[in-house]
Amino acid sequence: MSNILSKDKVILNGTAQDKTEAIRMAGELLVKAGHVSVDYVDKMLEREEIASTYMGGGLAIPHGTKEAKSMVASTGLSIVRFPEGVDFGGDEPAFVVIGIAAAGGDHMEILTNVAMIFTDDESIGKVMDATTEEEILAIFEGGMGA
């Protein structure tokens, strides 16, 4: 789990004009960390066009299309918190945007784990209240059984 999540892939106070910018931010963290090629970010945006990755409860989980698998070098997550929220077309804005790059068969497992963390209202509150990257990582590592 350790290299799936790391401090350099957490932004505590992101601001984005719209969901495209928010997805690019999450995607670029994955690119910088070496999990994906630059093209993967476009596939995340393409995926968003097909169907919104807004999950409700203030959470969006953008990820690439199936064709983007070849662009993933290793599994990783990026976490961007938007205190002001970003409109993802849901009934409320997304306050937490989690970029996912999944290698091999990890995809469903990671999506499920992330979604599970956020089914608990307390968890999203903890993520929103966290003051350091480490606190955010601890919530995810706890929730992902690392």
Side-chain angles (χ1 to χ4, degrees):
M1 262 329 280
S2 56
N3 51 0
I4 290 182
L5 274 169
S6 53
K7 258 174 57 173
D8 57 349
K9 288 176 298 207
V10 178
I11 294 178
L12 294 178
N13 293 304
T15 52
Q17 296 300 310
D18 53 29
K19 67 179 183 176
T20 301
E21 201 181 327
I23 291 168
R24 280 201 182 280
M25 276 178 84
E28 275 155 21
L29 290 172
L30 295 170
V31 174
K32 263 197 217 129
H35 292 295
V36 296
S37 65
V38 175
D39 304 343
Y40 186 80
V41 182
D42 293 329
K43 294 295 180 189
M44 290 171 84
L45 292 166
E46 215 174 279
R47 170 73 188 73
E48 193 65 35
E49 293 302 307
I50 300 165
S52 173
T53 54
Y54 183 69
M55 302 290 167
L59 172 70
I61 311 181
H63 49 278
T65 57
K66 285 196 179 71
E67 301 79 54
K69 269 211 179 302
S70 60
M71 301 167 190
V72 178
S74 59
T75 298
L77 290 182
S78 61
I79 303 166
V80 187
R81 193 172 68 178
F82 293 97
E84 273 113 67
V86 179
D87 182 9
F88 264 74
D91 43 8
E92 72 227 291
F95 293 101
V96 180
V97 175
I98 298 175
I100 294 184
D106 292 344
H107 197 74
M108 276 324 292
E109 190 187 335
I110 288 196
L111 273 176
T112 307
N113 281 336
V114 169
M116 288 295 287
I117 294 169
F118 283 90
T119 48
D120 175 5
D121 287 343
E122 222 176 280
S123 296
I124 195 148
K126 278 187 200 150
V127 171
M128 292 311 292
D129 294 342
T131 54
T132 64
E133 290 90 344
E134 286 86 350
E135 278 177 61
I136 289 185
L137 295 178
I139 295 162
F140 282 85
E141 284 169 356
M144 298 184 74

